[in-house]
Amino acid sequence: MRHFGHIAPGVRQRLFHQEPCEFTTDSPARLLSAALGATLYSPATRPRLAGDIVKQAGLGVVSMVLCLEDSIDDADVAAGEENLVRQFAELDALDGVGLPLLFVRVRTPEQIPDLVDRLGASVRLLSGFVLPKFTEERGILFLEALASAEAASGRRLFAMPVLESPELLYRESRVESLEGIARAVDKYRDRVLALRLGVTDFCSSYGLRRAPDMTAYDVHVVASVISDVVNMLGRADGTGFTVTGPVWEYFRVPERMFKPMLRTSPFLEGQAVELREKLIEHAMDGLLREITLDQANGLLGKTCIHPSHVLPVHALSVVSHEEFGDAADILRPESGGGGVLRSAYTNKMNEVKPHRAWAERTMLRAEVFGVAREDVSFVDLLAAGIPG
């Protein structure tokens, strides 16, 4: 699989200075954690789940979570598990069909070995599990169950803990909670692919819900948690993990109070005025703003609950030609001793030592999402990825 693999090779060549790399479920964890992109959630109870997965893979989705937790009724868990096993068997019978990375969001640790056993041979299609309401105490039980299931099946399985518990949100218990989470995930570092943020649960603790005109970063009680999670768990010194962006809840806005958050000029230049209007109509201007703030705050990838959110996440994850040039200059062997370089675009300073970690992360993102050509903007990437 590869990002933008659903568009024609000729179009990719026109858009990319460096095309996104190919990867598989067996690729190194460091590569997969960066390549998750827009992780699309789907209830595990969907009767045509296998067909939905194949369809979304054909539209550019590279990671999906099949949910047995909050997205389904408590009374439907057993039916959801049965459906999941049946749909995996159906997918396993398909020959030569590309599939995304598949994860299952469970409710309890006991579900992990049980589901792995029931999946049988089709467990080869499973990349791992999403672990809800992760704390040190709960998390260790989940991670031990994952390790046991992995040993029994012989299949490498990853964990994606969801940070969403009240202990993490409340100021008086946050640092202790983060320290406990850090101990748990460090113990199982090789199997923790990424940490996911449960912003909807954070908001619920205070009876809040962000409007489509606002991002998670406008809700200060939520923004403070994101900041602390990145501070303690997302460091670039080798101790950190990939932290993914929160879910965007909206896909259509009947009425808005504030001006749209998308400038007109990039769309005029790209002759894509209608695309801008469509994005605004479907609340994508808020989503695009939040993705940009995710990246500025050290997050990579995003939880998505609607297929229309996938392409914007991926388009804004592509490395610009300017970013790529700066990162390449900073990482040149002859620059190893430090110093200051003028950007090839003559608009900024590149300070070799302080900007090195940024450059390394940028090069990893360039590997999995590609590098746009000098004259290609996110508008061009959005327009090219929309099915005709």
Side-chain angles (χ1 to χ4, degrees):
M1 68 194 85
R2 71 183 339 172
H3 285 290
F4 296 93
H6 65 298
I7 63 177
V11 176
R12 284 204 308 271
Q13 291 174 8
R14 177 174 58 81
L15 293 172
F16 289 97
H17 168 77
Q18 174 184 301
E19 290 194 33
C21 72
E22 293 186 342
F23 55 93
T24 71
T25 56
D26 296 319
S27 293
R30 181 171 179 267
L31 186 76
L32 292 181
S33 68
L36 288 167
T39 301
L40 184 64
Y41 274 56
S42 175
T45 50
R46 291 179 69 90
R48 291 182 291 276
L49 186 59
D52 293 340
I53 291 170
V54 172
K55 176 183 176 181
Q56 294 306 325
L59 295 174
V61 173
V62 302
S63 63
M64 288 187 71
V65 172
L66 314 175
C67 186
L68 290 166
E69 208 226 1
D70 285 349
S71 70
I72 68 172
D73 191 278
D74 295 347
D76 294 333
V77 174
E81 291 177 345
E82 292 174 6
N83 186 58
L84 196 66
V85 172
R86 185 166 55 250
Q87 300 291 336
F88 261 76
E90 186 175 327
L91 288 171
D92 198 31
L94 299 176
D95 186 28
V97 175
L99 298 175
L101 302 170
L102 297 176
F103 301 86
V104 175
R105 179 168 172 161
V106 291
R107 293 183 174 218
T108 67
E110 294 76 23
Q111 284 178 295
I112 293 176
D114 179 60
L115 283 170
V116 167
D117 181 61
R118 290 162 66 182
L119 285 172
S122 66
V123 74
R124 69 183 186 87
L125 306 179
L126 181 67
S127 291
F129 292 89
V130 175
L131 314 179
K133 299 172 179 60
F134 194 92
T135 62
E136 181 178 24
E137 184 178 358
R138 283 172 51 85
I140 288 293
L141 296 176
F142 276 112
L143 292 168
E144 287 175 347
L146 181 104
S148 175
E150 183 181 64
S153 66
R155 168 70 181 162
R156 181 180 72 166
L157 297 170
F158 288 112
M160 291 201 290
V162 185
L163 310 186
E164 56 188 344
S165 65
E167 301 98 307
L168 181 59
L169 179 62
Y170 300 150
R171 180 181 291 273
E172 67 271 19
S173 55
R174 185 179 305 169
V175 171
E176 183 180 354
S177 178
L178 281 169
E179 288 174 342
I181 290 169
R183 286 191 292 268
V185 295
D186 187 62
K187 184 177 179 181
Y188 290 86
R189 175 170 292 275
D190 292 344
R191 288 297 170 260
V192 176
L193 192 61
L195 305 177
R196 313 200 71 90
L197 290 166
V199 164
T200 302
D201 279 52
F202 289 156
C203 288
S204 73
S205 295
Y206 289 90
L208 304 175
R209 186 174 192 177
R210 70 189 188 276
D213 298 297
M214 307 212 174
T215 70
Y217 302 92
D218 294 310
V219 184
H220 289 189
V221 70
V222 169
S224 70
V225 183
I226 295 175
S227 174
D228 287 344
V229 167
V230 174
N231 191 323
M232 295 184 68
L233 298 171
R235 299 176 187 178
D237 60 359
T239 66
F241 296 83
T242 294
V243 183
T244 65
V247 68
W248 180 256
E249 298 178 351
Y250 297 93
F251 40 87
R252 182 176 290 274
V253 180
E255 183 179 357
R256 43 174 78 240
M257 182 182 299
F258 301 108
K259 289 182 179 180
M261 291 180 271
L262 281 179
R263 290 173 55 239
T264 304
S265 53
F267 294 86
L268 289 174
E269 293 167 7
Q271 297 182 336
V273 175
E274 289 185 3
L275 173 59
R276 178 179 181 271
E277 293 173 353
K278 184 177 180 181
L279 290 170
I280 292 170
E281 178 188 354
H282 290 84
M284 297 298 182
D285 56 323
L287 171 61
L288 291 169
R289 173 69 173 162
E290 186 165 283
I291 296 166
T292 303
L293 290 170
D294 286 342
Q295 294 175 356
N297 284 278
L299 311 185
L300 181 61
K302 199 165 186 65
T303 296
C304 294
I305 47 82
H306 196 273
S308 64
H309 298 170
V310 172
L311 180 58
V313 174
H314 292 169
L316 284 178
S317 297
V318 173
V319 173
S320 71
H321 189 269
E322 180 175 348
E323 288 176 308
F324 182 72
D326 288 339
D329 286 345
I330 291 165
L331 295 175
R332 284 178 182 172
E334 60 267 30
S335 301
V340 178
L341 307 170
R342 185 177 69 167
S343 168
Y345 278 71
T346 68
N347 60 0
K348 74 177 76 65
M349 171 192 74
N350 290 324
E351 196 168 351
V352 173
K353 289 184 178 179
H355 289 146
R356 186 174 187 84
W358 168 85
E360 290 171 347
R361 284 189 171 187
T362 298
M363 284 305 197
L364 179 59
R365 184 159 57 93
E367 186 175 357
V368 294
F369 289 102
V371 179
R373 289 193 180 275
E374 189 170 3
D375 60 345
V376 170
S377 71
F378 80 94
V379 175
D380 299 309
L381 293 162
L382 281 172
I386 296 174

